[in-house]
Amino acid sequence: MNTGLNKSLADQRKAELERISLELIKKNEELEATNRALFLLRNIDKIVLTSISDPETVVKQIARSLVGDGGYKLAAIYVRNTVKQSLEPHAAEIEGEQEVSKELQKHILASSISQRNSASVIARSTRDLFISSSDHLYEIMQPHLHPDDASDIQSKLKIKSIYVCPLYTRDQVLGAMVLGLPDERNKLSFFDYDLMERLTTSVGIAVDDTL
């Protein structure tokens, strides 16, 4: 009888310790995400506050920081051309196998997107002012990249999903930011969404200041 009771108490303690351990892991992950977000936003603020006036240099530094400090596999920034009514690529930073990264970078930097293109996820995101996402690189890059090539590149670079964030300030569309998440990040947390919203503002201000 006592043996059964002791086993039951031991099982309860074990279950409680496992619950506490899982809670601690979750809190540590949230703290890590918060610290990563703050560090990234501080670095982007530093870039914005520098005396650099060349827009190409500014957006390239921001894209580099998004990949290096933010943990994204891909960061691309498109700036709106009001005359052509298009979104023009100004920066693309990719982490991964060098040859594959350069191939994707080449395609991105050649991918001028008409804002009238209703099939483009990037164009729709800037039109609706809403963060869009896709698990398929081709849906983001069409028609500039063949579906098979896009799938192969995405697999080699281990990009899980791609998010498109509109850049705007004072109700004016400035462009779009494309972010690729690594395979190990199965889903976005509240902190990831919050970071993207804040990045939309910070990067939007940076782009606006250089136009």
Side-chain angles (χ1 to χ4, degrees), residues 48-63:
V48 174
L49 294 172
T50 61
S51 58
I52 300 172
S53 58
D54 176 28
E56 296 291 333
T57 302
V58 172
V59 294
K60 283 178 182 177
Q61 286 191 2
I62 290 173

Side-chain angles (χ1 to χ4, degrees), residues 16-181:
E16 180 66 13
L17 287 172
E18 289 176 350
R19 183 187 66 79
I20 292 171
S21 177
L22 288 174
E23 286 184 358
L24 288 173
I25 290 172
K26 183 179 178 182
K27 288 185 182 297
N28 284 335
E29 289 176 346
E30 290 174 351
L31 181 61
E32 182 182 350
T34 301
N35 288 337
R36 184 178 68 243
L38 291 173
F39 182 75
L40 177 58
L41 289 167
R42 275 198 300 268
N43 278 359
I44 290 177
D45 284 343
K46 287 179 183 177
I47 295 171
V48 174
L49 294 172
T50 61
S51 58
I52 300 172
S53 58
D54 176 28
E56 296 291 333
T57 302
V58 172
V59 294
K60 283 178 182 177
Q61 286 191 2
I62 290 173
R64 196 172 298 122
S65 181
L66 287 166
V67 171
D69 303 320
Y72 296 104
K73 297 290 289 185
L74 158 69
I77 297 175
Y78 290 78
V79 177
R80 183 189 181 201
N81 185 312
T82 54
V83 176
K84 295 168 62 177
Q85 289 294 297
S86 63
L87 297 162
E88 302 296 331
H90 279 235
E93 190 75 18
I94 300 125
E95 182 193 73
E97 186 181 328
Q98 188 174 18
E99 186 176 339
V100 181
S101 298
K102 283 186 175 181
E103 182 182 357
L104 178 56
Q105 185 182 51
K106 179 186 70 175
H107 284 294
I108 291 174
L109 294 177
S111 61
S112 175
I113 299 168
S114 170
Q115 287 189 277
R116 302 182 186 89
N117 184 356
S118 59
S120 168
V121 176
I122 298 175
R124 289 202 306 270
S125 181
T126 59
R127 182 194 65 202
D128 301 334
L129 298 182
F130 188 78
I131 295 177
S132 305
S133 67
S134 175
D135 289 332
H136 305 288
L137 179 62
Y138 169 70
E139 292 181 358
I140 305 296
M141 291 298 300
Q142 66 169 317
H144 303 281
L145 197 56
H146 188 276
D148 292 340
D149 293 335
S151 178
D152 184 53
I153 289 172
Q154 184 173 353
S155 176
K156 287 178 178 177
L157 293 177
K158 298 180 180 178
I159 296 174
K160 174 70 175 177
S161 53
I162 305 97
Y163 287 77
V164 180
C165 309
L167 302 176
Y168 57 93
T169 183
R170 298 189 297 276
D171 298 323
Q172 179 186 5
V173 175
L174 302 170
M177 175 175 61
V178 178
L179 299 172
L181 267 65

